[in-house]
Amino acid sequence: MKWVSTLFQSLTLENKRLNERWACFRLSLLSTKPSVEEVRLWSQSFDKLMKNPAGRNVFREFLRTEYSEENMLFWLACEDLKQEINKSSIEEKARSIYEDYISILSPKEVSLDSRVREVINRRMQEPTPHTFEDAQLQIYTLMHRDSYPRFLSSSIYKSLTCSENSS
């Protein structure tokens, strides 16, 4: 049975490589390529990566290869909600975010601790632009500590640094 385990590990690794290659291909189709300076800054801090639209796009492609794109989508939806001032739009967007990323029935559910879930459930009684603030911070921290280091050593990021260095 050891050969089954070895085969499974090999297939998993090959699938990861194919996903990364596909992500690199999709990035090559972007109309606006990040500059050498932008790519360099992304390695200096996660904040610089997340504040840069091209950086968020590249990082999102990486998260897709790791089957955790929902973290970026949730974070972006929260950023969008924070800009909203219309009460009915706030309620509508908050419900949508809850259904898409917080509900245990959602296929895109983000990983949150029970304390944060309780806070959100209370805040959903009267949603505001800051209803998901604690959850957004928790997901941001998760991406920073968990995904960001792997992103910097990924073939996706390395292909950008190589292609930028050869230009």
Side-chain angles (χ1 to χ4, degrees):
M1 288 311 264
K2 184 172 170 73
W3 69 270
V4 173
S5 174
T6 304
L7 178 62
F8 181 74
Q9 288 173 339
S10 175
L11 290 173
T12 303
L13 182 60
E14 187 58 28
N15 189 36
K16 175 108 172 103
R17 286 187 192 126
L18 287 172
N19 281 338
E20 284 192 356
R21 285 188 195 125
W22 180 242
C24 287
F25 172 73
R26 282 193 308 266
L27 288 172
S28 73
L29 300 176
L30 291 177
S31 57
T32 54
K33 305 272 190 266
S35 70
V36 175
E37 182 63 14
E38 285 175 307
V39 173
R40 188 184 65 74
L41 287 174
W42 301 344
S43 68
Q44 291 179 358
S45 85
F46 185 63
D47 291 335
K48 289 178 181 175
L49 172 74
M50 292 296 283
K51 287 179 181 168
N52 182 283
R56 288 192 305 269
N57 285 336
V58 172
F59 188 58
R60 180 178 168 186
E61 284 297 327
F62 168 75
L63 291 174
R64 187 177 291 159
T65 69
E66 295 213 327
Y67 306 101
S68 59
E69 180 186 20
E70 68 277 358
N71 291 332
M72 177 64 81
L73 295 174
F74 170 72
W75 188 86
L76 290 169
C78 292
E79 287 297 294
D80 183 50
L81 177 63
K82 287 184 198 175
Q83 304 306 312
E84 193 58 64
I85 54 173
N86 179 288
K87 186 169 173 42
S88 63
S89 293
I90 290 168
E91 290 173 356
E92 184 179 320
K93 286 182 179 185
R95 296 246 175 268
S96 178
I97 291 170
Y98 188 90
E99 290 169 6
D100 289 346
Y101 305 106
I102 308 302
S103 170
I104 59 172
L105 301 174
S106 173
K108 296 186 290 186
E109 178 190 8
V110 293
S111 180
L112 299 171
D113 65 40
S114 59
R115 181 196 62 80
V116 169
R117 285 185 181 281
E118 288 172 16
V119 168
I120 291 171
N121 287 332
R122 281 194 307 272
R123 290 180 179 170
M124 283 301 292
Q125 303 304 313
E126 292 213 24
T128 72
H130 304 284
T131 296
F132 301 101
E133 220 163 48
D134 294 348
Q136 187 184 21
L137 178 59
Q138 195 170 84
I139 294 303
Y140 187 89
T141 302
L142 174 71
M143 291 190 297
H144 182 197
R145 291 186 181 154
D146 188 47
S147 303
Y148 176 64
R150 286 195 307 276
F151 167 72
L152 292 178
S153 61
S154 72
S155 60
I156 293 172
Y157 182 73
K158 287 178 181 175
S159 71
L160 284 172
T161 60
C162 290
S163 66
E164 293 300 330
N165 288 335
S166 64
S167 328

